Amino acid sequence: MNMIMTPLGKVEQLSENLIKVTTVLKKATDIKLVQRHVEEIEEHFGIDHYYLSDPRSLLSTTLEVRQYLANQKEIKAIAVLVKNGTTAMLANMFVSFSRPLYPTKVFKDETKAIAWLVEQGANAPKK
């Protein structure tokens, strides 16, 4: 399917309404860069998608960036991939404190994350 690179990372269309975002930066602290990332995704793929987010290379972000991402109304649901139990705990804290406007769940396994997104309404990826 389609793939683009944004200032934040690689964005791949896995199905008609399922997008995978792989962060390649170590820090996501510049809100303008993150806003440009979101704008480029919407320009290229449209809105109202399900997202598989892979921020495992990301080491730090800011409260401003996390709040901006949590308030995206065009997201149907998001599954976040993490490296281990510690990062899963931190990601779950982000979810509980940020209260995203969309269903959000943390996973260590990409296959399980995609299965959950399909349960939420995403079209399964083409093989």
Side-chain angles (χ1 to χ4, degrees):
M1 291 238 141
N2 287 327
M3 192 275 291
I4 63 168
M5 291 298 292
T6 73
L8 202 58
K10 182 171 139 182
V11 183
E12 304 167 86
Q13 185 175 19
L14 302 180
S15 73
E16 294 81 13
N17 65 351
L18 179 57
I19 306 292
K20 179 178 181 182
V21 178
T22 306
T23 306
V24 296
L25 297 181
K26 299 290 181 209
K27 294 182 179 182
T29 56
D30 181 346
I31 189 68
K32 298 238 184 272
L33 181 125
V34 174
Q35 289 169 334
R36 195 166 76 228
H37 164 79
V38 170
E39 289 168 4
E40 287 184 25
I41 290 172
E42 290 176 354
E43 286 173 11
H44 192 82
F45 298 104
I47 59 171
D48 294 329
H49 287 89
Y50 296 84
Y51 285 86
L52 175 62
S53 176
D54 185 352
R56 292 179 284 193
S57 69
L58 194 62
L59 299 176
S60 68
T61 186
T62 64
L63 177 61
E64 182 182 28
V65 166
R66 290 190 306 270
Q67 287 175 332
Y68 171 76
L69 292 173
N71 289 311
Q72 295 302 303
K73 294 180 179 97
E74 296 80 17
I75 295 175
K76 295 284 193 181
I78 188 166
V80 181
L81 296 173
V82 296
K83 293 178 191 176
N84 54 45
T86 303
T87 53
M89 184 178 71
L90 292 171
N92 280 314
M93 283 178 39
F94 158 72
V95 171
S96 64
F97 288 123
S98 298
R99 295 189 183 140
L101 299 175
Y102 41 83
T104 305
K105 194 165 179 182
V106 176
F107 294 88
K108 290 188 263 181
D109 180 86
E110 184 169 334
T111 303
K112 290 179 181 176
I114 291 172
W116 178 80
L117 288 165
V118 170
E119 287 174 14
Q120 301 304 304
N123 295 331
K126 308 252 189 269
K127 299 228 176 184

